[in-house]
């Protein structure tokens, strides 16, 4: 049942706040010694285009510093969790610096293609899919663009929504300011509710199962139990770790030049031994203008360097269910009556067990993996993010501009097995030296340039502006790999190139090195125009048309046209709305199209432009076959492959009433993706039954609601509450799989929710014999269902409902902020529970091989016939893999973030050489209410077999302004 062993990149809608609601609240000024920043009600559209909130015709949300500042997030996008309406930012791994995340806006817009939103940093669209080297404390604001009226500006890149990021800038005519922020804290392992058995409980389960003195494992368990051994393997495979960060920023500005500079350092240990992350970051932003303000120039430079120690499982999905290579499995598998750290070296372990992993001895192999430098695995990454832009006002109406940017990443990785590691020793065979090391280098360079001509004018109450633009994007990705087989334990140092055993040029030499290299060049060219019209600040109309070309397709499919129109009616400005009590009442509507050229999703951290680069061409590939013999592979291309196309309609209402105390937004949308990239079935006469092509259609329909209310807002106390929710339903309209899917998996079938479960439905325990019962197609029950009895569960791996709520409070310098998030209507296969609460295991007896849940102590027996847990010796446990027995509700309510602190006033600091001081405590991922029994119900996956859990974080911090 493959779905249990693979990540399902599915979408769900995440919603908090309202359209610029969270960013716009005006609070009493709390004097921290610095001038409070007033956030203008401006929507950043990207490409240096902005529009005031009052005149905006699009569905968007701006998130200010309050949800970003001082939070211990390595990936800057994690700050979007719970802070932006219509958005789901989901961390797929808790490994520090992981590139596994999903950033979904309004559901999943593709099945096989890229589904993450486009990230635009300082007006430059990014091709990056990892942002571990960008310091979150350098971010000033995020703007989320959701409907076609906003995203059509990006044509082929905006199909999944857009997040526009603006980094901090200096201000003109401002003094020299220094700010230093320090944080330190602790990350703690998450908790589960699997009720892992201790030694006494496990020994009793073995007896109940029927294992006696004559069977393997009994004496081992008895010996450990009698010695009092009761190992908590979670404490061996998880550990508390420290977090620290230091950020120094300097800003100043004169009449014509302003600058912002920052330096940052952060370090976070991983919950799993041998994993950690360190980062240095440097940023310098410059703005300049001429005396007559006709010429404006800006430049941004961001440098980052990081080292990330990671598990092999992070990038090698092939070992996810490997019980001797994946340490994440050790937490749940380790038998409690086995001693921890029993063998100090890989050689000791080899001498003791050889390659016999029976009776749970694999746990010591996983222990050996987590010894320092046993399995070295780390990546050094250097990033350069730079851009320069200029605009010149030719006349009062005409302005020309250009923005050029580069995004460069170089990742140097080391992975291997040290010659003293157990896995090296047992795989070296007759060779004198074992172990191997792989050193890899990846270079990812992107260049983007946008040239524009803009016209704006006004006649009476009519105002309008128009622009013509050209965008050019070029990408080059190169990779090299060198691998050495055979390492000398006397001189080997991971990554240093020492200890390599030279190749002896014999035909049977085990020390043959391996090398490989690759290069992909990609690019796109676009022409687009915009037109905006406003009458009397009451009515507005915007239009965008864009013509895109990509390297990925050929012929007439190389070019495509996308467009959108949007409009607004500021109802509160009408005469009949006087004294209505509404400060703002704006109706919006939009309709338009986007394209998705990234028809095959990139791997975590990969450039989305590089996959499927030969989808339209036949391929002859030189490969190494059996016995290291050179051979060729052939696959058909499809010259008719083309863009996936997204069409979206949106109607929204923004309002503010009760003297601006209550504000909110409502949006209803219908988003349809056509020409899904998938397998197209062909005649087998050609030698292949499928080729890749456009086949399928799906829709996302939903409603978003956000509310905020200012309960109190006076000189001493400000208290605001917010509550937000969203509903999204992803439905498959047209899709041809060629054959019906098997029970026990998620389905992609027309007329059904995307990734809906198709299973045998569990009907309870047979009280007469303890076997499992399942529903039949005619409403009866059976112990042996067949495929005709399978049915659909009204749930999928994508939640239908999600949202958040919280409050912000300030009282005489004290502040307390909280954020709760939730999702509902999602079910996942609990693969870990399948191993823990299934005594049969994966085709062999799990009892005596790995740990189990103490729930099994209440299993059916002739004297416990009313139990809801089947007999340990039930004859049909194997059907649970294809049923909903382990299909569990993953709905949750989580305390996402809480911060408490105090800001000293300038008067309180008058005797000190500082202008402001803020002290605070911060906690993240604190507690989760859920029926899900695993580490974290949040990751959007079909199963929970191997997931690095997100830790709980507790932090102390201080900010000093000079």
């Amino acid at each position: 049942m493959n779905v249990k062993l693979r990540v399902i990149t599915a979408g769900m809608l995440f919603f908090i706040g309202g359209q610029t609601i969270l960013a716009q609240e005006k609070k009493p000024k709390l004097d921290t010694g610095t001038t409070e920043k007033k956030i203008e009600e401006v929507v950043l559209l990207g490409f240096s285009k902005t529009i005031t909130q009052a005149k905006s015709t699009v569905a968007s949300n701006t998130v200010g510093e309050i949800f970003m500042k001082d939070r211990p997030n390595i990936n800057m996008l994690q700050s979007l969790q719970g802070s932006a309406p219509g958005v789901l930012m989901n961390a797929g791994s808790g490994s520090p610096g992981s590139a596994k995340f999903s950033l979904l806006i309004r559901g999943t817009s593709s099945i096989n293609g890229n589904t993450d939103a486009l990230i635009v940093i300082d007006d430059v669209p990014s091709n990056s899919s990892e942002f571990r080297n960008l310091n979150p404390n350098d971010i000033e604001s995020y703007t989320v663009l959701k409907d076609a009226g906003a995203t059509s500006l990006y044509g082929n890149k905006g199909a999944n929504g857009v997040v526009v990021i603006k980094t901090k800038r200096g201000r003109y005519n401002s003094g020299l300011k220094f700010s230093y922020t320090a944080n330190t804290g602790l990350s703690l392992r998450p908790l589960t509710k699997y009720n892992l058995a201790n030694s006494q409980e496990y020994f009793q389960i073995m007896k109940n199962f029927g294992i006696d003195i004559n069977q393997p494992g009994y004496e081992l368990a008895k010996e450990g139990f009698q010695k009092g051994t009761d190992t908590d393997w979670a404490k061996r495979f998880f550990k508390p770790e420290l977090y620290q960060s230091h950020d120094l920023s300097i800003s100043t500005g004169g009449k014509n030049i302003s600058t912002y500079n920052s330096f940052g350092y952060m370090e976070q240990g991983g919950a799993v031994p041998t994993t950690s992350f360190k980062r240095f970051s440097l940023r310098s932003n410059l703005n300049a203008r001429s005396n007559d303000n006709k010429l404006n120039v800006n430049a941004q430079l961001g440098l980052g360097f990081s080292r990330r120690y990671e598990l092999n499982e992070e990038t090698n999905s092939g070992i996810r269910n490997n019980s001797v290579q994946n340490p994440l499995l050790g937490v749940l598998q380790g038998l409690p009556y086995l001693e921890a750290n029993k063998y100090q070296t890989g050689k000791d372990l080899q001498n003791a067990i050889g390659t016999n992993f029976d009776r749970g001895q694999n746990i010591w192999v996983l222990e050996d993996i987590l010894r320092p430098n046993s399995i070295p695995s780390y990546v050094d990454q250097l990033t350069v993010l730079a851009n320069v832009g200029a605009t010149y006002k030719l006349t009062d109406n005409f302005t020309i501009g250009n923005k050029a940017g580069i995004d460069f990443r170089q990742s140097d990785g080391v992975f291997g097995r040290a010659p003293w590691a157990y896995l090296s020793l047992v795989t070296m065979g007759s060779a004198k030296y074992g172990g191997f090391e792989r050193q890899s280098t990846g270079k990812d360079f992107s260049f983007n340039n946008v040239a524009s001509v803009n016209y704006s004018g006004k006649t009476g109450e009519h105002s309008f502006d128009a622009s013509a633009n050209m965008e050019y994007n070029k990408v080059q990705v190169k990779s090299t790999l060198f691998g050495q087989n055979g390492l000398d334990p006397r001189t080997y140092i991971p990554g240093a190139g020492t200890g390599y055993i030279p190749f002896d040029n014999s035909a049977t030499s085990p020390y043959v090195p391996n090398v490989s290299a690759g290069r992909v060049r990609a690019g796109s060219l676009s022409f687009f125009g915009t037109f905006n019209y406003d009458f009397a600040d009451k009515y507005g109309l915007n239009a965008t048309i864009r013509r895109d070309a990509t390297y990925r397709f050929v012929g007439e499919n190389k070019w495509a046209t996308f467009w959108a129109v949007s409009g607004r009616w500021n109802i509160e400005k009408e005469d009949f709305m006087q004294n209505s009590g509404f400060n703002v009442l704006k109706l919006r509507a939009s309709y338009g199209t986007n394209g998705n050229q990234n028809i095959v999703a990139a791997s975590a951290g990969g450039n989305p432009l590089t996959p499927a680069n030969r989808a339209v061409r036949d391929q002859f590939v030189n490969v190494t076959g059996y016995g290291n013999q050179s051979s060729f592979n052939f696959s058909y291309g499809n010259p008719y492959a083309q863009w996936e196309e997204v069409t979206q309609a949106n109607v929204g209402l923004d309002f503010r009433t009760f003297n601006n105390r209550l504000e909110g937004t409502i949006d209803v949308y219908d988003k349809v993706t056509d020409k899904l990239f998938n397998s197209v079935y062909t005649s087998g006469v050609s030698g292949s039954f499928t080729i890749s092509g456009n086949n399928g259609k799906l829709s996302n329909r939903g409603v978003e609601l956000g509310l905020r209310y200012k309960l109190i807002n006076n000189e001493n106390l400000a208290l605001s509450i917010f509550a937000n929710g969203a509903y999204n339903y992803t439905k498959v309209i047209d899709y041809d799989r060629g054959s019906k899917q098997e029970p026990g998996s998620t389905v992609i079938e027309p007329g059904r929710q995307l990734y809906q479960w198709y299973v045998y439905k569990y009907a309870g325990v047979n009280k007469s014999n303890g076997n499992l019962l399942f529903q039949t197609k005619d409403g009866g029950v059976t112990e042996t269902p067949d495929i005709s009895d399978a049915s659909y569960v009204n749930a999928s791996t994508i939640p239908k409902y999600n949202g958040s709520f919280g409050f912000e409070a300030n009282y005489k310098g004290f502040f307390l902020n909280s954020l709760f998030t939730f999702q509902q209507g999602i079910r996942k296969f609990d693969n870990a529970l399948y191993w823990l609460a299934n005594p049969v295991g994966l085709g062999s007896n799990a009892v005596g091989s790995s740990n189990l849940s103490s729930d099994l102590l209440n299993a059916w027996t002739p004297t416990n016939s009313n139990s809801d847990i089947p007999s340990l010796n039930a004859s049909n446990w194997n059907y649970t893999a294809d049923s909903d027995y382990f299909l569990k509700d993953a709905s949750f309510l989580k305390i996402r973030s809480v911060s408490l602190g105090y800001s000293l006033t300038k008067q309180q600091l008058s005797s000190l050489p500082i202008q402001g001081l803020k002290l605070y405590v911060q906690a993240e991922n604190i507690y989760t209410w859920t029926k899900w029994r695993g580490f974290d119900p949040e990751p959007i996956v079909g199963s929970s077999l191997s997931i690095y859990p997100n830790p709980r974080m507790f932090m102390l911090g201080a900010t000093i302004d000079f």
Side-chain angles (χ1 to χ4, degrees):
M1 191 167 61
N2 293 331
V3 70
K4 300 176 184 62
L5 306 179
R6 64 184 175 89
V7 175
I8 304 295
T9 305
M12 74 174 186
L13 191 61
F14 200 81
F15 188 82
I16 168 84
Q19 198 163 332
T20 69
I21 290 175
L22 299 181
Q24 307 307 327
E25 181 182 8
K26 307 300 188 297
K27 295 182 178 178
K29 182 177 179 180
L30 301 175
D31 191 350
T32 62
T34 61
T35 302
E36 184 185 79
K37 178 182 176 182
K38 180 180 179 181
I39 302 177
E40 297 180 352
E41 294 187 66
V42 172
V43 177
L44 300 178
L45 300 175
F47 293 136
S48 302
K49 301 180 186 299
T50 63
I51 191 170
T52 63
Q53 177 60 30
K55 292 185 178 181
S56 174
T57 62
V58 302
S60 66
N61 175 259
T62 301
V63 182
E65 279 189 313
I66 190 168
F67 284 91
M68 302 179 291
K69 196 171 180 61
D70 305 324
R71 294 180 65 180
N73 294 325
I74 295 176
N75 184 343
M76 61 169 185
L77 297 178
Q78 286 183 266
S79 298
L80 289 174
Q81 290 177 323
S83 64
V87 176
L88 168 67
M89 169 57 202
N90 178 284
S93 170
S95 181
S98 174
K100 292 181 179 179
F101 69 88
S102 296
L103 179 55
L104 306 176
I105 297 178
R106 292 186 167 179
T108 302
S109 298
S110 182
I111 294 177
N112 295 310
N114 180 48
T115 59
D116 289 330
L118 171 69
I119 307 301
V120 178
I121 303 175
D122 291 328
D123 296 325
V124 178
S126 173
N127 289 315
S128 180
S129 61
E130 59 181 358
F131 300 92
R132 63 173 70 111
N133 279 10
L134 186 57
N135 190 345
N137 286 322
D138 286 334
I139 306 301
E140 181 176 293
S141 69
Y142 300 85
T143 299
V144 181
L145 308 179
K146 300 182 290 184
D147 68 345
T151 62
S152 62
L153 193 64
Y154 297 91
N156 69 85
K157 304 174 183 178
N160 302 313
V162 181
V163 177
V164 180
I165 296 174
K166 180 182 179 181
T167 59
K168 294 177 180 178
R169 316 291 170 89
R171 295 182 179 277
Y172 292 117
N173 300 312
S174 63
L176 183 64
K177 299 178 182 179
F178 293 83
S179 182
Y180 171 70
T181 298
N183 296 295
T184 185
L186 187 69
S187 64
L188 301 177
R189 66 181 176 92
L191 306 175
T192 71
K193 294 178 283 187
Y194 286 132
N195 302 328
L196 295 178
N198 58 32
S199 291
Q200 181 178 356
E201 293 168 333
Y202 199 95
F203 194 49
Q204 186 60 51
I205 292 173
M206 294 181 76
K207 290 181 178 179
N208 295 348
F209 188 68
I211 294 179
D212 57 30
I213 192 170
N214 297 317
Q215 293 177 279
Y218 181 87
E219 284 299 323
L220 187 63
K222 182 179 179 181
E223 177 186 354
F225 173 59
Q226 290 178 344
K227 288 171 58 177
T229 303
D230 197 4
T231 304
D232 183 353
W233 288 102
K235 293 181 179 179
R236 298 293 303 172
F237 288 91
F238 286 150
K239 66 185 190 319
E241 263 297 346
L242 295 177
Y243 168 91
Q244 64 168 318
S245 67
H246 304 271
D247 292 284
L248 174 66
S249 65
I250 306 170
S251 63
T252 188
K255 177 183 177 182
N256 299 110
I257 297 178
S258 68
T259 64
Y260 170 86
N261 300 278
S262 71
F263 173 79
Y265 171 78
M266 71 83 56
E267 179 178 352
Q268 180 176 329
V272 178
T274 73
T275 63
S276 63
F277 181 81
K278 295 181 180 180
R279 177 184 66 212
F280 294 91
S281 62
L282 180 68
R283 173 161 291 275
S284 181
N285 291 350
L286 170 71
N287 290 331
R289 62 187 180 187
S290 60
N291 285 327
D292 58 7
N293 206 28
K294 288 187 175 182
L295 175 65
N296 284 267
V297 179
N298 64 84
Q300 292 81 40
L301 173 64
L303 304 176
F305 176 80
S306 64
R307 169 165 286 191
R308 178 172 185 264
Y309 289 91
E310 61 187 13
L311 298 176
N312 184 25
E313 182 273 346
E314 181 76 11
T315 56
N316 183 1
S317 61
I319 67 167
R320 290 188 64 209
N321 62 332
N322 191 310
S323 60
V324 295
Q325 294 192 58
N326 184 4
L328 293 179
L329 303 178
V331 176
L332 303 177
Q333 284 192 342
L335 289 167
Y337 52 78
L338 297 182
E339 295 179 42
N341 206 28
K342 185 175 181 178
Y343 304 102
Q344 301 300 311
T345 67
K347 188 62 177 177
D348 291 341
L349 179 58
Q350 181 193 26
N351 291 337
I353 71 170
T355 57
N356 182 3
F357 307 133
D358 293 343
R359 302 186 298 279
Q361 296 183 123
N362 63 295
I363 196 68
W364 292 316
V365 181
L366 299 180
E367 260 196 317
D368 186 71
I369 289 175
L370 294 184
R371 290 193 173 98
N373 289 329
S374 179
I375 307 293
S377 179
Y378 65 87
V379 177
D380 291 337
Q381 187 177 85
L382 171 69
T383 57
V384 180
L385 189 65
N387 65 77
V388 60
T391 61
Y392 185 77
K393 198 169 187 178
L394 296 172
T395 68
D396 290 341
N397 303 107
F398 280 99
T399 302
I400 59 174
N402 194 84
K403 186 82 167 185
I406 63 169
D407 186 349
F408 174 75
R409 288 180 294 152
Q410 178 170 319
S411 300
D412 298 309
V414 172
F415 172 74
R417 292 178 182 170
W420 49 78
Y422 169 84
L423 291 176
S424 294
L425 296 172
V426 297
T427 56
M428 61 189 294
S430 60
K432 182 179 179 181
Y433 298 100
F436 68 84
E437 182 174 273
R438 307 284 185 263
Q439 294 198 25
S440 62
T441 296
K443 296 181 180 180
D444 188 331
F445 178 82
S446 297
F447 172 77
N448 185 274
N449 189 86
V450 178
S452 60
V453 178
N454 299 273
Y455 176 85
S456 62
K458 186 173 183 178
T459 302
E461 294 186 303
H462 303 270
S463 61
F464 48 88
D465 64 77
S467 71
N469 312 264
M470 182 184 75
E471 180 185 8
Y472 174 73
N473 184 229
K474 188 68 175 180
V475 170
Q476 177 168 283
V477 177
K478 296 182 67 176
S479 62
T480 58
L481 181 143
F482 167 79
Q484 170 64 35
N485 297 307
L487 305 170
D488 190 334
R490 297 169 299 180
T491 57
Y492 173 65
I493 299 175
T498 59
Y500 286 7
I501 303 301
F503 175 50
D504 60 11
N505 203 32
S506 65
T508 59
S509 174
Y511 311 123
V512 179
N514 55 76
V515 295
S516 64
R519 184 185 71 182
V520 176
R521 290 179 176 174
S524 62
L525 178 66
S526 306
F527 300 92
F528 62 98
T530 65
F531 177 79
N532 304 315
Y533 170 76
D534 175 80
F535 175 71
D537 293 336
K538 293 182 182 180
Y539 316 103
L541 177 67
N542 296 343
T544 301
I545 187 168
R546 179 167 172 138
R547 183 74 170 160
D548 284 319
T550 176
Y551 86 104
R552 185 168 275 135
F553 309 123
V554 295
E556 61 183 18
N557 293 327
K558 179 180 286 289
W559 287 90
T561 302
F562 308 104
W563 58 272
V565 293
S566 58
R568 74 169 204 282
W569 178 21
N570 295 78
I571 306 173
E572 82 280 359
K573 296 184 179 296
E574 299 290 351
D575 292 340
F576 62 79
M577 290 295 293
Q578 292 185 8
N579 302 318
S580 65
F582 281 95
N583 305 97
V584 173
L585 185 62
K586 181 176 68 174
L587 180 66
R588 296 175 281 103
S590 65
Y591 185 82
T593 63
N594 288 100
N596 182 15
Q597 66 158 315
N598 300 324
I599 52 179
V600 174
S603 59
N607 191 313
L609 273 179
T610 57
N613 54 79
R614 295 183 293 270
V616 298
R617 300 170 180 88
D618 296 340
Q619 297 183 55
F620 295 85
V621 182
N622 189 355
V623 299
T624 302
Y626 182 76
N628 290 323
Q629 296 299 311
S630 179
S631 61
F632 289 90
N633 276 352
F634 172 77
S635 62
Y636 287 105
N638 182 356
Y640 301 103
Q642 57 184 297
W643 318 70
E644 294 184 340
E645 186 171 304
V646 178
T647 303
Q648 184 176 186
N650 187 95
V651 177
L653 183 70
D654 304 326
F655 61 90
R656 194 178 302 163
T657 187
F658 299 138
N659 197 25
N660 289 320
R661 297 182 67 180
L662 174 65
E663 51 188 341
T665 183
I666 303 171
D667 277 280
V668 180
Y669 62 87
D670 184 1
K671 183 167 64 169
V672 176
T673 305
D674 199 4
K675 304 174 184 176
L676 291 169
F677 191 72
N678 183 41
S679 296
V680 176
Y681 291 87
T682 62
S683 170
V685 174
S686 64
S688 175
F689 289 96
T690 63
I691 61 171
S692 296
N694 298 87
N695 162 30
K697 188 176 185 179
L698 64 80
S699 70
N700 285 273
R701 292 181 177 179
V703 179
E704 302 168 347
L705 171 65
L707 297 171
R708 170 177 284 264
Y709 186 67
K710 301 175 185 177
L711 288 172
I712 305 172
N713 192 22
N714 57 44
E715 183 177 354
N716 294 320
L717 176 63
L719 175 62
S720 295
I721 59 175
F722 56 86
N724 312 273
Y727 166 82
N728 182 80
Y729 187 84
T730 306
K731 180 181 178 180
V732 180
I733 299 174
D734 183 25
Y735 201 78
D736 182 11
R737 290 192 61 91
S739 62
K740 189 175 179 63
Q741 292 178 255
E742 295 294 322
S745 61
T746 58
V747 300
I748 307 174
E749 293 184 5
R752 299 202 173 273
Q753 185 179 4
L754 181 63
Y755 304 132
Q756 187 172 353
W757 286 98
Y758 179 61
V759 296
Y760 300 126
K761 290 189 177 179
Y762 177 65
V765 178
N766 188 332
K767 296 183 183 297
S768 65
N769 60 12
N771 283 343
L772 296 85
L773 294 174
F774 301 93
Q775 295 179 12
T776 62
K777 60 180 179 297
D778 56 6
V781 294
T782 180
E783 294 182 1
T784 56
D786 60 40
I787 192 169
S788 65
D789 296 316
S791 59
Y792 298 92
V793 176
N794 187 25
S796 80
T797 58
I798 308 173
K800 294 180 182 178
Y801 303 92
N802 59 87
S804 53
F805 59 89
F807 64 83
E808 300 171 43
N810 289 269
Y811 177 71
K812 294 185 176 180
F814 290 96
F815 60 87
L816 175 63
N817 301 322
S818 70
L819 176 64
F820 296 75
T821 62
F822 66 88
Q823 68 181 28
Q824 193 274 332
I826 177 172
R827 296 185 73 177
K828 299 188 293 187
F829 187 88
D830 195 336
N831 219 132
L833 188 61
Y834 175 68
W835 286 16
L836 292 167
N838 179 357
V840 174
L842 300 177
S844 60
N845 288 344
V847 181
S849 299
S850 62
N851 203 357
L852 296 166
S853 172
S854 61
D855 296 354
L856 294 179
L857 290 170
N858 189 40
W860 180 97
T861 65
T863 58
N864 186 29
S865 59
N866 289 323
S867 174
D868 59 352
I869 299 176
S871 169
L872 296 180
N873 303 108
S875 62
N876 58 347
W877 274 105
N878 58 303
Y879 284 102
T880 58
D882 301 324
S883 76
D884 62 353
Y885 185 86
F886 291 110
L887 195 61
K888 302 300 180 181
D889 187 354
S891 303
F892 69 85
L893 170 63
K894 177 179 292 190
I895 306 178
R896 173 73 62 185
S897 175
V898 174
S899 60
L900 172 66
Y902 181 71
S903 298
L904 280 74
T905 64
K906 187 181 296 184
Q907 290 74 22
Q908 291 172 312
L909 299 170
S910 58
S911 61
L912 298 175
I914 58 177
Q915 298 295 311
L917 176 62
K918 182 177 71 172
L919 306 172
Y920 54 89
V921 293
Q922 174 87 23
E924 297 274 331
N925 203 27
I926 306 170
Y927 188 79
T928 303
W929 291 272
T930 182
K931 295 179 181 179
W932 184 255
R933 299 178 66 177
F935 292 110
D936 192 348
E938 187 172 330
I940 304 176
V941 292
S943 67
S944 60
L945 175 62
S946 173
I947 296 175
Y948 193 122
N950 291 296
R952 296 172 292 151
M953 301 281 293
F954 301 89
M955 186 179 71
L956 297 171
T959 297
I960 306 174
D961 297 325
F962 299 91

